[in-house]
Amino acid sequence: MGAGFGGLCMAAELKRAGIDSFTIFEKEGDVGGIWRDNTYPGCGCDVPSHLYSFSFEKYRDVALRYPEQREILAYLQHVTDSYDLRGHLRTGAGIASADYSESTGRWVVRTTSGETHIFDIVISAVGQLHRPKLPDIPGRDDFKGESFHTAKWNHDYDLSGRDVAVIGTGSSGAQLLSHVARVARRVDVYQRTPNWVVPKPRTEFGPVTRWAFTRLPFTQNIYRALNYLAADLALSPIIARGWSARPAEWVARRHLRKQIRDPLLRAKLTPDYPIGCKRILIDNTFYPTLNRANVELVTDGISRITPTGIVTADGEHRDVDAVIYATGFRTTEFLVPMRVRGRGGVSLDERWADGAEAYLGMALPEFPNLFFVHGPNTILGHNSNIFMIECQVRYVLSCLRLLPGGGLLEVRPEAMRDYQRWLEKAISRTVWPTGCQSWYKTASGRVTNPWPASTMRYRKLTRRDPADAFRVLTP
Ligand code: NAP
């Protein structure tokens, strides 16, 4: 389910393993996942492109360090074609439900258009950042101007010469701001919580690197490995206030000081929570754009939206032509709106009512032969998510090898319990539970989305023999 990075990786690896009997269901019209949906101006990835690609299909670029949305989407289309996946793809086919049948030991999958399919194994790869979240602000629906979410950009609406409100200053809001401010007459940027922002290294490679990448292509592999190691060894300790947290905060404060001269504006942009609690922004354009004469950073809370603009807590009304919601995604709902039922009719919604959890983020007792790619507690803010996806896909393939002639595989409750205990301890050592509010956790404060350790740790855990944690059932 899903034809983003996760689903395509799974499909390509199935092909590479000689398995051809699979279908990829995609609710939209093409592959790409979030990189198909997010087309806002400036959309790109702050993870270097060499690292932000599959190890079996490495991205090569001798010019640019960071990929833009268009390049990533083209890369995913290239993977789809190179691994001959189009024939397996069913587009416009959202999944409404997946029910495990006790009598057949198979899964009954229904699409939103009412089709029914039967499968032995179901793998969900729907991602965590695909359902836009619009804020619950009174009067939102009364606004008479143009409004849209960053993941549903209206390219038919010309922002030139308009007065625009941008609500939200996360990665998406920060990336698009300079592009909007360049054409709009005025931009009001509504910030609820400041983010830690660190500088982005130079976008273009220098002449020596270009020469090496062109003449000695293996150096691109070295560069990829160095990026990976740097992220794991230097960035991942930040989340648990390890050795690099203070230096990272110092770098971020210096970046702010250098780019924002006005002390009042700087104060508004200074976070009061530990770095790493929210996703760190890697950005060079957000702060300078706030210095522009046509841009105002508004930090008074929004009390309501009127037909013509926005009213803040201090009572000020700012008229605007357009409101851009850079307000993030419904991250903790995972497989919603799908209805998934396992053995004995147990519902996934009920199992996850207090927050999603899964063994290594991939499997649950009572849900035989159901796997998740990018499931609970597997997303990263400090390294390439593609690495995590590959670990999961490799692990799922190892699970499938335990069923050479078919059959059912289910994670043992003890393995799930031990893993969850370890996970919660690891999370308790991070800054996430108490440091701030973020999309990493549920309304009740349970951290359900990010991985709380190094990616090397995850690699080690997913290299174990799944036979230690799973049992084979007879239907
Ligand atoms: P986000 O990080 O969840 O940011 C949402 C923003 O909207 C936050 O600033 C939030 O404020 C604000 N907001 C939400 N509700 C609000 C309200 N009612 N009033 C005022 N402000 C409100 O979403 P995102 O920027 O779309 O990014 C989501 C994730 O996508 C990122 O964290 C990152 O993992 C990924 N991403 C990655 C890249 C990349 O370059 N790799 C680029 C884009 C996105 P609070 O902070 O106070 O909640």
Side-chain angles (χ1 to χ4, degrees):
M1 303 168 177
F5 261 105
L8 293 178
C9 183
M10 190 73 240
E13 288 286 26
L14 283 171
K15 279 271 188 183
R16 276 156 50 90
I19 300 169
D20 217 28
S21 52
F22 63 89
T23 306
I24 312 167
F25 290 92
E26 167 54 53
K27 67 176 163 44
E28 302 296 335
D30 199 1
V31 300
I34 54 165
W35 296 109
R36 173 204 57 228
D37 296 346
N38 286 271
T39 59
Y40 60 80
C43 181
C45 187
D46 55 15
V47 178
S49 51
H50 285 77
L51 187 55
Y52 202 70
S53 62
F54 298 129
S55 60
F56 56 85
E57 190 64 37
K58 293 194 187 80
Y59 186 82
R60 301 289 191 193
D61 197 326
V62 298
L64 289 178
R65 201 185 294 264
Y66 296 100
E68 293 186 354
Q69 175 264 339
R70 236 171 306 175
E71 285 153 358
I72 303 171
L73 187 57
Y75 168 80
L76 287 173
Q77 280 162 344
H78 158 78
V79 169
T80 309
D81 295 328
S82 306
Y83 290 83
D84 207 10
L85 303 179
R86 295 243 177 236
H88 296 268
L89 186 63
R90 297 284 305 269
T91 53
I95 302 298
S97 65
D99 293 88
Y100 174 70
S101 158
E102 301 275 357
S103 57
T104 61
R106 305 180 87 193
W107 284 86
V108 181
V109 172
R110 289 190 183 82
T111 64
T112 46
S113 61
E115 290 173 17
T116 299
H117 301 264
I118 310 290
F119 291 102
D120 295 311
I121 291 147
V122 173
I123 302 164
S124 163
V126 297
Q128 298 189 6
L129 296 160
H130 63 111
R131 295 182 65 223
K133 189 179 74 186
L134 289 173
D136 249 346
I137 301 172
R140 198 191 73 213
D141 294 337
D142 301 333
F143 183 62
K144 295 276 183 263
E146 183 61 31
S147 65
F148 45 86
H149 187 274
T150 47
K152 299 208 178 286
W153 196 267
N154 180 358
H155 290 276
D156 295 331
Y157 184 77
D158 187 1
L159 292 165
S160 307
R162 309 281 192 175
D163 294 337
V164 181
V166 175
I167 303 181
T169 54
S171 303
S172 306
Q175 279 187 347
L176 66 85
L177 187 62
S178 67
H179 297 264
V180 173
R182 225 172 283 147
V183 296
R185 188 170 70 150
R186 196 189 91 233
V187 186
D188 302 328
V189 185
Y190 290 85
Q191 173 193 270
R192 191 164 62 180
T193 316
N195 280 295
W196 288 99
V197 185
V198 296
K200 197 171 183 177
R202 200 171 58 171
T203 316
E204 291 186 4
F205 292 120
V208 176
T209 313
R210 276 176 193 237
W211 179 89
F213 281 4
T214 312
R215 299 290 171 88
L216 310 166
F218 70 91
T219 56
Q220 298 199 40
N221 292 345
I222 298 174
Y223 172 71
R224 176 182 160 102
L226 289 175
N227 269 298
Y228 168 75
L229 286 175
D232 222 42
L233 299 175
L235 297 184
S236 87
I238 292 176
I239 57 181
R241 295 301 289 168
W243 69 270
S244 48
R246 276 172 171 271
E249 273 183 15
W250 181 84
V251 168
R253 282 185 203 281
R254 185 163 169 272
H255 187 49
L256 176 60
R257 258 195 327 272
K258 276 177 78 174
Q259 293 203 313
I260 301 286
R261 296 268 170 230
D262 174 1
L264 274 180
L265 183 57
R266 209 186 294 154
K268 287 180 177 179
L269 291 164
T270 304
D272 64 354
Y273 58 86
I275 193 165
C277 191
K278 285 170 174 288
R279 168 65 149 83
I280 300 170
L281 309 193
I282 306 173
D283 183 278
N284 294 340
T285 61
F286 178 58
Y287 287 154
T289 307
L290 294 173
N291 289 325
R292 288 176 66 114
N294 69 333
V295 177
E296 183 188 356
L297 183 74
V298 183
T299 53
D300 287 301
I302 299 173
S303 53
R304 66 196 160 88
I305 295 179
T306 70
T308 56
I310 294 180
V311 183
T312 39
D314 58 357
E316 185 164 351
H317 183 277
R318 289 176 177 81
D319 274 324
V320 282
D321 300 307
V323 177
I324 296 169
Y325 293 104
T327 43
F329 299 86
R330 305 177 85 87
T331 51
T332 55
E333 296 175 356
F334 290 88
L335 270 62
V336 170
M338 264 181 245
R339 196 176 54 81
V340 180
R341 287 188 184 276
R343 274 197 298 121
V346 58
S347 134
L348 191 62
D349 277 352
E350 283 162 26
R351 279 296 302 274
W352 283 355
D354 295 330
E357 58 185 40
Y359 178 71
L360 296 173
M362 287 187 271
L364 269 180
E366 297 175 282
F367 292 83
N369 286 10
L370 173 68
F371 299 95
F372 311 110
V373 173
H374 251 341
N377 295 106
T378 58
I379 211 163
L380 299 178
H382 60 268
N383 205 329
S384 171
N385 278 300
I386 315 306
F387 179 88
M388 297 295 275
I389 287 173
E390 285 201 60
C391 288
Q392 290 153 35
V393 165
R394 209 174 301 120
Y395 191 79
V396 172
L397 284 175
S398 308
C399 288
L400 301 190
R401 284 190 198 105
L402 296 177
L403 302 170
L408 291 168
L409 202 61
E410 187 179 293
V411 66
R412 293 173 210 270
E414 320 82 77
M416 176 74 211
R417 207 175 36 239
D418 292 349
Y419 167 73
Q420 197 59 31
R421 218 175 271 156
W422 172 85
L423 182 81
E424 276 161 26
K425 205 164 167 199
I427 289 172
S428 71
R429 290 193 209 106
T430 69
V431 288
W432 302 324
T434 52
C436 66
Q437 279 307 318
S438 78
W439 64 257
Y440 291 171
K441 52 190 185 183
T442 62
S444 66
R446 187 159 172 203
V447 178
T448 54
N449 295 67
W451 172 246
S454 69
T455 64
M456 287 181 202
R457 186 68 182 260
Y458 193 71
R459 183 175 185 276
K460 198 170 160 200
L461 291 172
T462 52
R463 289 272 163 160
R464 285 189 187 161
D465 183 352
D468 297 344
F470 284 76
R471 59 182 170 174
V472 177
L473 303 176
T474 36

